[in-house]
Amino acid sequence: MAMLGAINPVLMAGLNGDDSWRLKDYVARGGYEQLKRILQTGMTQEDVIGEVKKSVLRGRGGAGFPTGLKWSFMPRSFPGDKYVVCNTDEGEPGTFKDRDIMRYNPHAVIEGMIIAGFAMGANRGYNYVHGEIWEIYKRFEEALDEARAAGLLGQNILGTQFGFELFAHHGYGAYICGEETALLESIEGKKGQPRFKPPFPASFGLYGRPTTINNTETFASIPFILKMGGEEFLNLGKPNNGGTKLFSVSGHVNRPGNYEIPLGTPFSTLLEMCGGMRGGRKLKAVIPGGSSAPVMPADVIMDCTMDYDSISKGGSMLGSGAVIVMDETVCMVKALERLSFFYHEESCGQCTPCREGTAWMYKVVHRIENGQGKPEDLDLLNSVLGNIAGRTICALGDAAAFPVQSFLKHFGSEFEYHIEHKTCLVPKDVQWAGSGFHKIPA
Amino acid sequence: MFSADTLQKFAREVAKYPAEQKQSAVMACLAHAQEEKGWLPPEAIEAVADYLGMPPIAAYEVASFYNMYDLKPVGKYKITVCTNLPCALSGGYHAGEYLQQKLGVGYGETTADGKFTLKEGECMGACGDAPVFIVNNRSMCSHMHPEQIDKLLEECK
Ligand SMILES: Cc1cc2nc3c(=O)[nH]c(=O)nc-3n(C[C@H](O)[C@H](O)[C@H](O)COP(=O)(O)O)c2cc1C
Ligand code: SF4
Ligand code: FES
């Protein structure tokens, strides 16, 4: 199913599961009309960027940077190849929205990228697709073939002077390639190791050419923004937080899945849409924006609305919109152990503070979880944290530190309990029951 | 070294990139090579490098950087289980344990008959469908509770 629930949906409106992703369905929903309008009524690049700015669309990949502003950094009249790159690497634990956008509305991504190409004077684009979603990648390639056959891609689009080529690039299992400069290295056929910035991609990007990278959901929003007008899109959300957004809800709710809701919707409403807590249990904590966002205790998130500003005021980040819900059956030490393992595994190893720091964090949390923690371990973790912040090439170092810092801050007593009693506060069978895993047949 | 079908796939990938940037196709070509051979023996990596006109060492670097390439032989069915936190909250660990019990091997191991290799994986971007597996890098399996796991293993002939 495309969406388990929605309030005023935009990106996912009018979809009918697997039956409505094709070009003809998208066109029937008004698709490619905005591209036509732009090319056939003589809209300028400034007009398009102006509309995106008005919408206050903020990047949906994690950082929430205003898209219109990012687009205005591209040196549009710089001669030669310029690139637009879509980030469908979606590896941030908890995030599965881009997969559904690509699965059910791939042409919205394509139209958004073509319009972006026009607005920034770019003539080529790539969409970098997460390695694990082969079927979605294949479908996207089919959608590209459809667009090409209809004259929506290639030279002289819709009989105009404007040309734009677009291809899909399939990843093969590396979280770090979601970082935009690692992604560019990866498209160039190298190891996905982030580049030093500056220079920024707008001046030195793919193959050293000016490049703009946006998330899948960001591009997919573009045709709708042009259709309804920037101002109306903005008004769907709240000031400084324009539009609707997809939230991927996972963990201890009755109906995990994707939900498209206006930014500014109360967290409690989203939780209700998910059918409430599994088994009616009590909410303990929520990671609101993918595993790299600081964890929030139940009482704090229950007072928040789902938008960049409210979640940031509550001490976390809206990030990719991946809402990981945890109830009282969760052992916070074990939860953090798994996240720390992930960052340790996925660190690309270029910077010593990140490579060594993520290894240390995992080692220490692992031993606490396994009853071998020492009283001084919590101080040790804090000192490792201090050595990572601000000392790395890319944000993975910080992303690894945020969970540790926030888990210790809000749930430190559980770590102390583990160290003192060499076991968990939450019995193993309670943790099992909380997972909802079916009983193994005898 | 490669079948005509695989070579055709290589050509299709190379065509996606500017003429002087053939190396960009290395990830896709390695993936297709692995699809044909079952894993990536050194000769296959070298042949891909040769095809793309890049130094073999550069192709090795790529093959060893990305998790989904198999630089050692794997079973006929490679099952990767997501155990990252969002999945673990909905049974990811237990699904992996059940699979280990049924197959009698741990993560990173292959059954004696060479049929199954088990791997622990990271977020597959499908956390709402937990527990999730991927078979042979391509086929995603959702909601893998004991009944579904039994069925999957039966279907792997
Ligand atoms: C370690 C790391 C992983 C990231 N993973 C993703 C990802 O999977 N998808 C994504 O869109 N952005 C990801 N980002 C953010 C990108 O670097 C980039 O900011 C984003 O794609 C820009 O698009 P936006 O402005 O539309 O959000 C990641 C960043 C870091 C540091
Ligand atoms: S911070 Fe970590 S992941 Fe990022 S470049 Fe440095 S070592 Fe690599
Ligand atoms: S955590 Fe398992 S698919 Fe995301």
Side-chain angles (χ1 to χ4, degrees), chain A residues 11-78:
Chain A
L11 273 66
M12 304 302 260
L15 300 182
N16 181 22
D18 269 332
D19 293 329
S20 48
W21 65 273
R22 293 210 167 265
L23 177 64
K24 65 172 174 32
D25 308 307
Y26 183 63
V27 167
R29 293 194 294 275
Y32 290 108
E33 265 165 31
Q34 299 312 308
L35 178 65
K36 279 193 192 133
R37 181 166 73 94
I38 291 167
L39 294 182
Q40 290 171 351
T41 65
M43 275 178 81
T44 64
Q45 295 173 322
E46 288 81 8
D47 291 339
V48 176
I49 295 180
E51 213 56 45
V52 176
K53 279 189 174 162
K54 254 194 251 164
S55 75
V56 197
L57 172 67
R58 294 173 61 170
R60 304 302 198 215
F65 192 82
T67 304
L69 189 60
K70 189 188 252 189
W71 287 15
S72 68
F73 295 154
M74 268 289 264
R76 304 199 275 280
S77 41
F78 198 77

Side-chain angles (χ1 to χ4, degrees), chain B residues 21-69:
Chain B
Q21 304 291 351
K22 275 168 88 173
Q23 178 169 343
S24 282
V26 66
M27 290 179 68
C29 291
L30 288 172
H32 289 306
Q34 174 163 305
E35 185 70 9
E36 179 181 326
K37 306 286 173 201
W39 64 294
L40 281 178
E43 312 83 75
I45 300 176
E46 281 157 30
V48 166
D50 195 42
Y51 179 88
L52 297 173
M54 63 192 279
I57 181 72
Y60 273 113
E61 272 184 5
V62 169
S64 53
F65 185 83
Y66 299 91
N67 297 329
M68 290 164 67
Y69 297 115

